[in-house]
Amino acid sequence: MDEVGMGDSGLGASDADAFLHEGDVCEWDAEVAGWVPPRPDAVALVAEAADLEAVFAAQRFARVDDLRLDALDDVTRYGGGSRELVMRSLRLELASALRITENAAGMMLARAESLVHSYPTVLDSLSRSGVTVRHAEILVDDLDVLDPVVAARLVGRALGLAESLPVGSFRRALRRLIDRETAPTLTERHQAAVRGRRIVVEPVGDSMSWVHALVPSVEAHAIFGRVTQKAVVIRDHDRGTTRGGEREGAGERSLDEIRADVFCDLLIDGTVPQHPEQARGIRATVVVTVPALALLGVEGVTDPAEVEGVGPIPIDTARELAGGASGWMRVLTHPETGAVVSVGRTRYRPPPELVKLVKWRADRCMGPGCSKPASQCQIDHSVAWADGGETSVTNTAPLCQGHHTVRHHGGWVITHLDDGSLEWVSPHGRRYVVPPERHLPTFYPNAA
């Protein structure tokens, strides 16, 4: 092959630089000039992995929707009930298989249905890594709450924004696009949004949790304003004091701390004259389990107390709660076995002692992955009373309303194991074992 120089090609240096950026020049350059493409750097490798994540996510959404369609075509596998019951059972199966929450499984099913059937161009872009998974989720979530005609009209422009903007910028741009399109229906949309108001508790560790309240903006700012005003008055009036004494240490509470304390005080102890008389004076009831020796302050005993649905709390806090607060049920555990002592009877409706023991042992709903506190659950017979099942601690377990319904009508088979665990066999034959949080006491006869 004849040697070719820059002069022979008629290209200058700047032209050659531009030429080297063309995709079809690598073979010419490698053979003639000996140029070797650079190896991808660390950022390129991360970006490549992110692209693969998008591709696999698209496949997952498609398969999730196939699973949904199969379930609706074969309702007998899921108990043969209504569409709502089939979907409830399917959410439980998907959540159990992927080890996620049922809420996350429900969102995955809804997003998959929308991407496959309402926004196929978005799913195609995701499969080519044109958008990230988060772009696709935001697009679907924001468009799905609109009228289908409006959503169909906006999806093309929304996809264009998703393919060209980072997630944060895309979210704001999509919100502006929707607001401009739906401005004439703002009142109706606000009224619909108000119906979604709710309160959510999010644990964050160290015996602390966030309380999230989704409420109308006017009320939210009014709440914050009133709490702040009260906190300022308390701070000015009570400088140099602490809430809780030595447990919180010396020093003045910050305004944020006082604001949080006022918020708790108002919600726990406050009354509203406008509420029905039956709703006034209601106090929260929480179960706290305290190791007996720790409660007595025996040296060397460091086992923490536990609050149902929350987890460990400082033993000093437990001592305060165990001192007589009317809203707390106190359960003292055996210093060696950690078990509570109780008695049970054999009859259809569990006696209060048995209900307390069963719920204490489980601590939460014994549906796969469920975290609803046992105090909010129903007592279910693993072997039905009508089929000869006993009302005993070895045949009962707490289930929330949703899992109780799925357990009886969703195509699942439940077995109570010897150690107190529940074995759930799904409509597809998958097996999941849910153990209780605590063990029952074991009694041994005295040696002769």
Side-chain angles (χ1 to χ4, degrees):
M1 179 180 294
D2 295 336
E3 183 174 340
V4 179
M6 287 297 179
D8 299 320
S9 66
L11 296 174
S14 60
D15 294 324
D17 288 340
F19 190 37
L20 288 175
H21 284 84
E22 294 294 329
D24 58 353
V25 77
C26 293
E27 182 179 353
W28 170 86
D29 189 61
E31 291 185 359
V32 177
W35 180 82
V36 177
R39 303 177 70 176
D41 59 19
V43 175
L45 292 174
V46 172
E48 181 182 45
D51 289 345
L52 291 174
E53 180 185 12
V55 173
F56 284 120
Q59 294 181 10
R60 182 189 61 194
F61 281 126
R63 293 179 182 182
V64 166
D65 192 63
D66 286 341
L67 174 63
R68 181 186 66 86
L69 295 176
D70 288 344
L72 294 175
D73 287 341
D74 186 14
V75 296
T76 56
R77 171 177 287 179
Y78 289 88
S82 64
R83 176 189 174 95
E84 180 181 357
L85 181 57
V86 170
M87 292 303 296
R88 182 70 173 81
S89 184
L90 179 60
R91 286 199 301 272
L92 177 57
E93 173 131 43
L94 185 61
S96 301
L98 299 183
R99 293 182 293 177
I100 59 178
T101 65
E102 288 186 59
N103 182 60
M107 294 177 64
M108 186 183 297
L109 284 161
R111 288 165 174 167
E113 180 180 2
S114 295
L115 284 168
V116 172
H117 300 282
S118 300
Y119 317 118
T121 55
V122 179
L123 183 61
D124 179 66
S125 180
L126 183 63
S127 68
R128 294 181 285 100
S129 66
V131 296
T132 69
V133 179
R134 192 67 192 120
H135 282 93
E137 290 174 345
I138 292 171
L139 187 150
V140 170
D141 293 348
D142 283 4
L143 292 190
D144 266 359
V145 298
L146 305 177
D147 183 275
V149 175
V150 176
R153 191 163 62 241
L154 294 181
V155 64
R157 282 177 283 173
L159 179 57
L161 294 171
E163 292 179 332
S164 60
L165 295 175
V167 168
S169 301
F170 166 64
R171 188 198 299 271
R172 293 189 293 272
L174 179 60
R175 190 70 261 163
R176 289 193 297 269
L177 175 66
I178 293 174
D179 286 344
R180 287 196 300 269
E181 189 73 19
T182 60
T185 63
L186 178 60
T187 299
E188 291 83 356
R189 287 189 294 114
H190 174 69
Q191 292 173 346
V194 166
R195 290 194 291 271
R197 60 191 183 276
R198 59 190 179 276
I199 293 178
V200 178
V201 176
E202 177 191 358
V204 293
D206 295 327
S207 303
M208 300 291 287
S209 295
W210 285 103
V211 178
H212 301 284
L214 179 62
V215 298
S217 295
V218 173
E219 282 85 341
H221 285 280
I223 291 169
F224 189 80
R226 185 184 184 210
V227 169
T228 299
Q229 291 173 17
K230 284 180 172 289
V232 169
V233 172
I234 293 173
R235 182 193 61 185
D236 293 343
H237 178 268
D238 201 26
R239 284 187 178 275
T241 63
T242 60
R243 186 174 191 252
E246 296 181 359
R247 184 164 58 86
E248 289 190 344
E252 181 181 329
R253 287 181 291 169
S254 69
L255 187 61
D256 277 336
E257 290 176 289
I258 301 175
R259 196 156 31 207
D261 294 341
V262 170
F263 180 80
C264 292
D265 292 340
L266 288 174
L267 289 179
I268 294 173
D269 295 323
T271 59
V272 180
Q274 292 85 350
H275 286 171
E277 184 175 350
Q278 299 89 330
R280 301 175 198 169
I282 292 178
R283 296 294 183 268
T285 299
V286 183
V287 177
V288 56
T289 299
V290 188
L293 297 184
L295 182 64
L296 296 174
V298 175
E299 185 178 357
V301 178
T302 59
D303 295 340
E306 291 193 10
V307 172
E308 179 190 54
V310 176
I313 61 171
I315 194 65
D316 289 336
T317 303
R319 288 195 185 101
E320 291 181 12
L321 298 175
S326 59
W328 296 79
M329 182 185 80
R330 293 164 295 282
V331 181
L332 300 185
T333 59
H334 190 283
E336 294 181 0
T337 66
V340 65
V341 177
S342 180
V343 297
R345 304 181 189 173
T346 302
R347 66 188 192 194
Y348 175 70
R349 186 176 297 279
E353 296 86 355
L354 178 60
V355 171
K356 287 183 178 181
L357 180 59
V358 170
K359 291 186 175 183
W360 174 87
R361 177 182 64 172
D363 189 60
R364 56 178 175 77
C365 168
M366 292 192 68
C370 190
S371 58
K372 184 176 287 295
S375 60
Q376 302 175 26
C377 296
Q378 305 164 346
I379 298 297
D380 174 69
H381 288 72
S382 298
V383 177
W385 175 269
D387 296 331
E390 294 183 349
T391 303
S392 64
V393 73
T394 57
N395 190 50
T396 54
L399 296 178
C400 67
Q401 178 64 56
H403 286 119
H404 201 172
T405 301
V406 169
R407 174 256 191 282
H408 286 287
H409 307 291
W412 291 72
V413 177
I414 311 300
T415 303
H416 205 123
L417 304 182
D418 291 341
D419 65 352
S421 300
L422 287 191
E423 178 190 65
W424 293 67
V425 179
S426 77
H428 280 267
R430 293 176 175 268
R431 178 177 177 270
Y432 305 98
V433 176
V434 182
E437 291 295 314
R438 304 183 180 96
H439 297 290
L440 289 175
T442 301
F443 300 96
Y444 299 97
N446 291 328

